[in-house]
Amino acid sequence: QVQLVESGGGLVQAGGSLRLSCAASGSIFRVNVMAWYRQAPGNEREWVASVISGRDTNHADSVKGRFTISRDGAENTVYLQMNSLKPEDTAVYYCNAVVQVVGGQSFSYWGQGTQVTVSS
């Protein structure tokens, strides 16, 4: 069993910053990919950013230049530094990890979500 625990959401004014964290724990052999997604009310869940092996990062065009994903491989923790926040960034942010568990199989896991609200 693998758990993802997120933290760092909250309410911020437009132009402000927040930092999200997500820690993976449990029967982990290796965490291959860690990513952030978000879902605004009435919208589908969308990919925000991902990091592979701590070096290869990708960001959605809508957040490029404002958000930065990073990973502490030793701690199996992923961060999302969000700067210059806009009201349209308001959503529930979910952490996702593709984990190779002890025993060899790989599975995708989700965190419980953390609310980010940006006021104008």
Side-chain angles (χ1 to χ4, degrees), residues 38-96:
R38 66 186 181 185
Q39 187 168 18
N43 291 356
E44 294 186 352
R45 190 172 298 187
E46 64 174 358
W47 169 76
V48 175
S50 56
V51 55
I52 301 173
S53 300
R55 296 182 180 181
D56 185 6
T57 63
N58 289 280
H59 299 79
D61 287 344
S62 59
V63 306
K64 202 169 290 184
R66 300 188 298 121
F67 292 10
T68 302
I69 191 170
S70 61
R71 178 179 166 185
D72 181 339
E75 299 294 330
N76 287 327
T77 300
V78 65
Y79 304 95
L80 186 68
Q81 178 65 45
M82 304 185 295
N83 299 327
S84 302
L85 282 159
K86 304 175 181 180
E88 51 263 43
D89 294 318
T90 295
V92 177
Y93 284 70
Y94 295 91
C95 175
N96 174 266

Side-chain angles (χ1 to χ4, degrees), residues 102-120:
V102 175
Q105 289 183 287
S106 291
F107 299 94
S108 176
Y109 294 91
W110 292 92
Q112 80 282 2
T114 184
Q115 177 70 46
V116 171
T117 303
V118 185
S119 63
S120 57

Side-chain angles (χ1 to χ4, degrees), residues 1-55:
Q1 192 75 349
V2 174
Q3 298 82 37
L4 301 181
V5 178
E6 300 152 350
S7 61
L11 173 65
V12 65
Q13 288 188 332
S17 298
L18 283 174
R19 189 191 195 209
L20 306 182
S21 300
C22 171
S25 63
S27 301
I28 297 171
F29 176 73
R30 180 170 53 226
V31 180
N32 293 318
V33 182
M34 300 193 83
W36 289 96
Y37 289 74
R38 66 186 181 185
Q39 187 168 18
N43 291 356
E44 294 186 352
R45 190 172 298 187
E46 64 174 358
W47 169 76
V48 175
S50 56
V51 55
I52 301 173
S53 300
R55 296 182 180 181

